Amino acid sequence: MPTESARPSIPTPDGPQPPPAPDVPGVVSSIAGRAESRRPATGTAVAAGAGAPAPDGSEVPPAPGGAGAVSSSAGRADSARPAEVAPGYREVFRVREFRVVFAAHLLSLLGVVVTEISLTVLVYDLTGSPLLSALTFALGFLPYVFGGTLLAGVADRFPARRVLVVCDLVCAGCVAVMVVPGTPVAGLLALRCAVAAVAPVFTGTRMAALTDILGEGDLYVLGRSLLRIVSQSALLVGFAVGGLLLAVVPPRGAIAITVVTFLCSAALLRFGTKDRPARLLKKDGGANLLRDSLDGARLVFADRRIRALTLLFWIPAMFVVAPEALMAPYADRIGVGPAALGLMMCAMPVGHIAAELVAGSALGPRSRSRIVLPSAALGLLPLLVYAVTPGIALAVVALALSGVGAVYVIGLDQWFVEAVPEELRGRAMTLMTAGLMTVQGLGMALAGLAAEFVPVHQVVAGAGAIGTLCSVLLVYEVRRTGGPRNPGVGADRDMTTR
């Protein structure tokens, strides 16, 4: 199933299960009024020597070092709180359902990457047209607008497990038709669009489902982080694997393999995750799917804080893709070969992966919350070095630092899930995912258009300058709408009062 991760850029966005009803056993619920001690770790630590229930009902041993739990008593002075202890990535993997989702994510990524490169090669073999070959890849972006806007209601109207499984089966069916000899090029492109159209629904549904599986606190943040790290890693190895596969089997044979990956992902999700009820009950939603989807978009953009957080995901991502889109012409301008080009292509994902691993494993929830706004505001500044036409070494450093700047999304994930009401969560996350992919495709197109009239290095430097200005304005807006949230404190606000 295509995910937010299958794209030549950062952040994700690598991909909602409706929240459980209060009486569903074994599920970490967000029921109003439950004791804070029942929440999965959200900047809180397990008391020394004591175990705590994991989201799937198993017991999670105390964090190493046995630090005392952060008290939930209102009014306790900050100085009296013990140092925060983050649960760490290991604790996320203790949750059985997350392990299933993680494995399905790996299979989906494999299917997406291999399908993209194989279909591009197949279209070129059939037509000999570089334009149609490039269009095959570009079509992975365009349908996100349609799927994310008009189909977003699916994420809340139907049980999450059903949505995820059906999306995988739709992808498997589309890819299977691609394999049939004689399928015309127009049919191949239409099938590519169909796969891309369901991608934001799948990804947004999975994102919201993680709040049911891991809770709404720090385990959710780390789970999202792991999926994003895998997505970025796929940029480094995925196309290499696809290239090696095409050296052994023809394009249609490689595409046929992805049918199996989608089916395996569907089976894992069907038999490895719990069947939870739909997030938006029929009495709450209308009979019209399109109306529910558009209402979700209206509510997201009508709420000042949700709107600001959504744009903070989108805008830096729109500008950070400029150097990636123009990497080949820039390498040609400074006179470096394919090896140096490959090094520059890897620099940004490597910087992002390294920063996210450090933030997820070494920083606690409060520290990750503190770095969101500074990182978002300053993350594009390293691109200004392109104004002086840097050589390969300086360019690689600048790209890696821009990747590091994307670390702000690990804290922004928590703010977003706290700000969005539960009944809107699937639609909001689907819309956010669709917009993230769309603005990156738009950013690449605009960078390429600008490079037709302005030197490549000036386009990249301009993207860094304009992007920084826009990011600073967004950071100011986020601060005005409430600023950094205290980890673990939900934002349960009435949508009708905003």
Side-chain angles (χ1 to χ4, degrees), residues 235-286:
L235 300 179
L236 302 178
V237 300
F239 287 107
V241 172
L244 292 175
L245 186 61
L246 287 173
V248 180
V249 296
R252 289 191 192 275
I255 294 174
I257 293 175
T258 67
V259 177
V260 178
T261 66
F262 287 129
L263 291 176
C264 289
S265 174
L268 279 172
L269 294 169
R270 170 60 180 82
F271 298 106
T273 60
K274 296 178 181 178
D275 187 16
R276 299 178 174 91
R279 193 179 303 274
L280 184 64
L281 301 179
K282 289 184 179 180
K283 65 182 179 64
D284 300 322

Side-chain angles (χ1 to χ4, degrees), residues 354-383:
E356 187 131 1
L357 282 172
V358 171
S361 57
L363 300 181
R366 295 181 186 279
S367 298
R368 292 197 296 267
S369 184
R370 292 189 189 104
I371 67 173
V372 171
L373 299 184
S375 299
L378 305 177
L380 294 172
L381 276 180
L383 298 184

Side-chain angles (χ1 to χ4, degrees), residues 52-72:
D56 64 350
S58 60
E59 184 172 291
V60 177
V70 176
S71 172
S72 61

Side-chain angles (χ1 to χ4, degrees), residues 305-324:
R305 179 158 180 85
I306 299 176
R307 181 175 66 245
L309 296 177
T310 300
L311 291 174
L312 197 58
F313 276 110
W314 290 355
I315 298 304
M318 178 179 178
F319 289 97
V320 80
V321 298
E324 291 182 313

Side-chain angles (χ1 to χ4, degrees), residues 150-197:
L150 304 183
L151 301 179
V154 171
D156 287 326
R157 284 173 61 97
F158 300 99
R161 187 176 73 177
R162 186 189 309 171
V163 173
L164 295 174
V165 171
V166 169
C167 285
D168 264 335
L169 293 178
V170 168
C171 289
C174 291
V175 173
V177 177
M178 293 179 189
V179 177
V180 177
T183 303
V185 172
L188 294 174
L189 296 181
L191 291 168
R192 178 76 177 97
C193 287
V195 171

Side-chain angles (χ1 to χ4, degrees), residues 54-399:
D56 64 350
S58 60
E59 184 172 291
V60 177
V70 176
S71 172
S72 61
S73 302
R76 175 177 249 189
D78 285 346
S79 59
R81 292 178 182 155
E84 61 176 344
V85 178
Y89 290 119
R90 183 179 300 177
E91 300 303 320
V92 181
F93 278 113
R94 290 180 183 272
V95 182
R96 184 192 62 81
E97 272 193 279
F98 177 78
R99 295 196 299 269
V100 172
V101 172
F102 186 82
H105 180 59
L106 290 177
L107 289 169
S108 294
L109 276 178
L110 177 61
V112 168
V113 173
V114 174
T115 298
E116 282 184 348
I117 188 173
S118 301
L119 189 59
T120 300
V121 172
L122 176 61
V123 170
Y124 185 74
D125 288 345
L126 292 174
T127 65
S129 169
L131 174 62
L132 288 176
S133 180
L135 181 62
T136 303
F137 187 80
L139 286 175
F141 290 92
L142 301 181
Y144 266 74
V145 178
F146 166 79
T149 303
L150 304 183
L151 301 179
V154 171
D156 287 326
R157 284 173 61 97
F158 300 99
R161 187 176 73 177
R162 186 189 309 171
V163 173
L164 295 174
V165 171
V166 169
C167 285
D168 264 335
L169 293 178
V170 168
C171 289
C174 291
V175 173
V177 177
M178 293 179 189
V179 177
V180 177
T183 303
V185 172
L188 294 174
L189 296 181
L191 291 168
R192 178 76 177 97
C193 287
V195 171
V198 300
V201 177
F202 181 92
T203 305
T205 302
R206 186 184 60 200
M207 286 172 62
L210 286 182
T211 64
D212 301 325
I213 295 171
L214 299 174
E216 300 176 10
D218 205 43
L219 286 181
Y220 166 79
V221 173
L222 294 178
R224 283 279 296 138
S225 174
L226 280 170
L227 297 183
R228 198 159 41 234
I229 289 170
V230 170
S231 302
Q232 292 297 315
S233 300
L235 300 179
L236 302 178
V237 300
F239 287 107
V241 172
L244 292 175
L245 186 61
L246 287 173
V248 180
V249 296
R252 289 191 192 275
I255 294 174
I257 293 175
T258 67
V259 177
V260 178
T261 66
F262 287 129
L263 291 176
C264 289
S265 174
L268 279 172
L269 294 169
R270 170 60 180 82
F271 298 106
T273 60
K274 296 178 181 178
D275 187 16
R276 299 178 174 91
R279 193 179 303 274
L280 184 64
L281 301 179
K282 289 184 179 180
K283 65 182 179 64
D284 300 322
N288 190 302
L289 172 62
L290 178 60
R291 184 181 304 139
D292 279 348
S293 300
L294 295 178
D295 282 348
R298 178 181 58 80
L299 290 171
V300 165
F301 286 106
D303 182 277
R304 185 176 179 184
R305 179 158 180 85
I306 299 176
R307 181 175 66 245
L309 296 177
T310 300
L311 291 174
L312 197 58
F313 276 110
W314 290 355
I315 298 304
M318 178 179 178
F319 289 97
V320 80
V321 298
E324 291 182 313
L326 301 175
M327 199 78 73
Y330 185 76
D332 181 64
R333 177 180 177 83
I334 62 176
V336 297
L341 174 61
L343 183 61
M344 289 193 294
M345 290 291 290
C346 291
M348 196 175 289
V350 167
H352 187 192
I353 292 169
E356 187 131 1
L357 282 172
V358 171
S361 57
L363 300 181
R366 295 181 186 279
S367 298
R368 292 197 296 267
S369 184
R370 292 189 189 104
I371 67 173
V372 171
L373 299 184
S375 299
L378 305 177
L380 294 172
L381 276 180
L383 298 184
L384 296 181
V385 75
Y386 273 79
V388 298
T389 318
I392 177 66
L394 190 55
V396 166
V397 171
L399 291 169

